[in-house]
């Protein structure tokens, strides 16, 4: 069946360090991927997305890497801050539309 | 721009009652998606609607659950004869075209 999974359920980093959150996806037909941040009691917040015709995309302090050969997605957060503490989800879809398939999530904890 | 509005934020129902969850999409958005999130899990797709049409309901349970998005007014997710297993956070997202989701803050349903 379809699934998107994460290698690490929890990640603890020191403030100022870089964070890397990983995600494996199973459907090679997926062509659009999104990272979301979810804080307690809130809805998912868009961080960054990437299409399958790209292997890297950068935003402000965040970078998403896509390796289609091994069906792997990662989110890199530079200079992690306490405000980055949240659960991070990757999600995949076809043709940048329709339903999103979410992974289980990784909880990022930033220590001051 | 008020974003995606969901109400109520919290809803408590006794077993056997009906639950109605409302979602007002962002202005100009005609696509609505509903997701369910169990504690410490990722979001699971339920249904995708456009105005007056159900596009994809592959994630909807076969019984007791229904959704609509009328020409006027919010989208409604309706759960009849609720059971404790329906307790979850229900999130709505909207988009102007397929993809480009914005999520609401969710409705936390508790069945007692």
């Amino acid at each position: 069946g379809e699934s998107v999974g994460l290698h690490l359920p929890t990640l603890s980093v020191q403030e100022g360090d870089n964070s890397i959150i990983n995600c494996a996806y199973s459907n090679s037909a997926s062509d659009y991927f999104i990272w979301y941040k979810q804080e307690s009691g809130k809805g998912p917040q868009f961080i960054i997305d990437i299409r399958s015709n790209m292997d890297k995309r950068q935003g402000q302090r965040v970078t998403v890497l896509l390796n289609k050969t091994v069906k792997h997605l990662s989110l890199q957060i530079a200079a992690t801050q306490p405000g980055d503490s949240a659960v991070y989800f990757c999600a995949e879809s076809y043709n940048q539309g329709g339903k999103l398939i979410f992974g289980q999530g990784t909880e990022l904890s930033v220590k001051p | 721009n008020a974003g995606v509005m969901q109400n109520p934020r919290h809803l408590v129902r006794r077993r056997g009652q009906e639950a109605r969850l409302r979602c007002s999409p962002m202005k100009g958005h005609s696509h609505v998606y509903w997701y369910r999130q169990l504690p410490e899990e990722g979001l699971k797709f339920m249904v995708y609607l456009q105005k007056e049409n159900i596009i994809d309901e592959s994630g909807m349970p076969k019984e007791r659950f229904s959704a609509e998005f009328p020409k006027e007014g919010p989208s409604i997710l309706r759960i009849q004869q609720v059971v404790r297993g329906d307790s979850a956070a229900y999130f709505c997202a909207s988009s102007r075209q397929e993809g480009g989701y914005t999520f609401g803050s969710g409705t936390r349903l508790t069945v007692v």
Side-chain angles (χ1 to χ4, degrees), chain B residues 1-2 5 12 25 35 43 45 54 57 62 69 72 77 82-83 85 88 100-101 104 106:
Chain B
N1 188 343
M5 303 300 294
V12 179
Y35 290 81
L43 283 74
F45 170 79
I54 296 175
E57 56 181 347
K62 299 302 181 186
F69 188 18
E72 300 292 337
L77 179 67
V82 296
V83 300
Y101 297 89

Side-chain angles (χ1 to χ4, degrees), chain A residues 78-97:
Chain A
T80 313
Q81 302 169 1
D84 295 327
S85 295
V87 178
Y88 290 80
F89 295 95
C90 64
E92 62 178 300
S93 76
Y94 318 109
N95 299 320
Q96 199 175 339

Side-chain angles (χ1 to χ4, degrees), chain B residues 1-105:
Chain B
N1 188 343
V4 177
M5 303 300 294
Q6 290 189 248
N7 67 81
R9 289 295 307 275
H10 300 276
L11 181 62
V12 179
R13 284 288 177 266
R14 295 184 183 277
R15 282 176 293 172
Q17 291 184 320
E18 178 179 287
R20 280 182 178 245
L21 288 62
R22 295 173 182 78
C23 170
S24 296
M26 286 183 67
K27 186 177 181 180
H29 286 192
S30 60
H31 301 241
V32 166
Y33 311 80
W34 286 94
Y35 290 81
R36 177 166 60 179
Q37 186 177 32
L38 296 174
E40 299 187 6
E41 291 191 9
L43 283 74
K44 304 294 185 186
F45 170 79
M46 298 182 75
V47 62
Y48 163 33
L49 310 101
Q50 294 181 20
K51 285 287 188 180
E52 301 183 279
N53 288 305
I54 296 175
I55 307 302
D56 181 353
E57 56 181 347
S58 59
M60 287 282 271
K62 299 302 181 186
E63 298 178 346
R64 303 188 297 108
F65 285 71
S66 62
E68 63 176 5
F69 188 18
K71 187 177 181 180
E72 300 292 337
S75 176
I76 305 290
L77 179 67
R78 181 184 179 200
I79 311 172
Q80 296 178 290
Q81 299 175 329
V82 296
V83 300
R84 284 191 173 155
D86 297 332
S87 296
Y90 292 83
F91 290 96
C92 170
S94 74
S95 69
R96 190 182 300 276
Q97 59 186 20
E98 289 196 353
Y101 297 89
T102 299
F103 279 86
S105 297

